[in-house]
Amino acid sequence: MDRATFGGGCFWCVEAAVEELEGVESVTSGYAGGHAEDPTYEEVCTGKTGHTEVVQLEYDPDVVVFEDLLEVFFTIHDPTTKDREGPDVGSQYRSAIYAHDDEQLETARKFAEELEAEGLYDGIVTEIEPLDTFYEAAAYHQNYFEKNPNDAYCTMHAAPKVEKVREKFETKASAADD
């Protein structure tokens, strides 16, 4: 198994969307990129810890490759808005890729450059840097959309991202919900 760590706004939305992919074995919501040790959700929400809300995926590279994960990641959020995704505003909601090794770092940087060169995005602000430390979020944040599908926030923000993955990445989406 390999790991990948992405920040694209609220972790509930990113988690729900990437869980749809075949080969993604687990998704854990948490925090990365900050300076405080083992921060709480409340501390991260202040914007003072420097952390990003992220999801860490454990995936089978024989089923889904890192480039596929990047394609989904850049599709389900707006990588051109700094410190914001939808209604969520603050540095904890920034677009970020935290690479687990040099190969991921190089692949992610090249992928973002190619998106810009192809004109798919203008002004990608996604931070792409090595992962230092990942801190797991509290249990109630894990599988939030799955446990709270009728929550107003989930209905308005997570559900459309899940549908986008199911429609746009139909051949890569898991058949688990069928």
Side-chain angles (χ1 to χ4, degrees):
M1 291 294 170
D2 283 351
R3 290 190 177 160
T5 302
F6 301 114
C10 174
F11 45 37
W12 299 341
C13 296
V14 179
E15 176 188 64
V18 297
E19 282 180 333
E20 293 294 309
L21 299 172
E22 190 74 35
V24 173
E25 300 299 321
S26 70
V27 183
T28 305
S29 291
Y31 316 104
H35 52 80
E37 191 172 320
D38 201 18
T40 65
Y41 177 71
E42 292 74 20
E43 290 168 338
V44 171
C45 284
T46 68
K48 295 178 182 176
T49 69
H51 289 87
T52 309
E53 284 194 15
V54 298
V55 295
Q56 188 165 90
L57 292 64
E58 196 166 282
Y59 67 97
D60 182 345
D62 292 331
V63 178
V64 61
V65 295
F66 185 63
E67 290 84 347
D68 291 339
L69 298 175
L70 290 171
E71 182 181 4
V72 171
F73 170 71
F74 279 104
T75 300
I76 62 171
H77 84 295
D78 183 351
T80 66
T81 54
K82 185 167 175 53
D83 298 342
R84 178 180 192 143
E85 177 62 19
D88 301 314
V89 180
S91 61
Q92 68 271 29
Y93 300 114
R94 66 188 176 267
S95 177
I97 299 168
Y98 295 102
H100 288 250
D101 57 37
D102 290 341
E103 184 179 349
Q104 277 190 359
L105 190 66
E106 183 180 325
T107 301
R109 287 180 176 157
K110 188 179 207 180
F111 195 92
E113 289 169 7
E114 288 172 4
L115 290 175
E116 289 257 12
E118 293 169 8
L120 294 172
Y121 294 103
D122 183 27
I124 291 176
V125 297
T126 304
E127 295 177 5
I128 302 171
E129 53 192 56
L131 176 66
D132 183 22
T133 305
F134 171 79
Y135 296 103
E136 186 172 332
Y140 71 93
H141 290 294
Q142 308 305 326
N143 300 303
Y144 191 86
F145 178 70
E146 181 182 315
K147 293 187 271 188
N148 302 280
N150 297 319
D151 175 89
Y153 182 92
C154 289
T155 301
M156 292 184 68
H157 304 289
K161 292 177 190 255
V162 169
E163 285 307 311
K164 186 181 252 186
V165 169
R166 287 178 180 166
E167 290 170 13
K168 183 165 177 147
F169 302 100
E170 184 178 359
T171 61
K172 296 174 185 156
S174 172
D177 292 330
D178 294 344

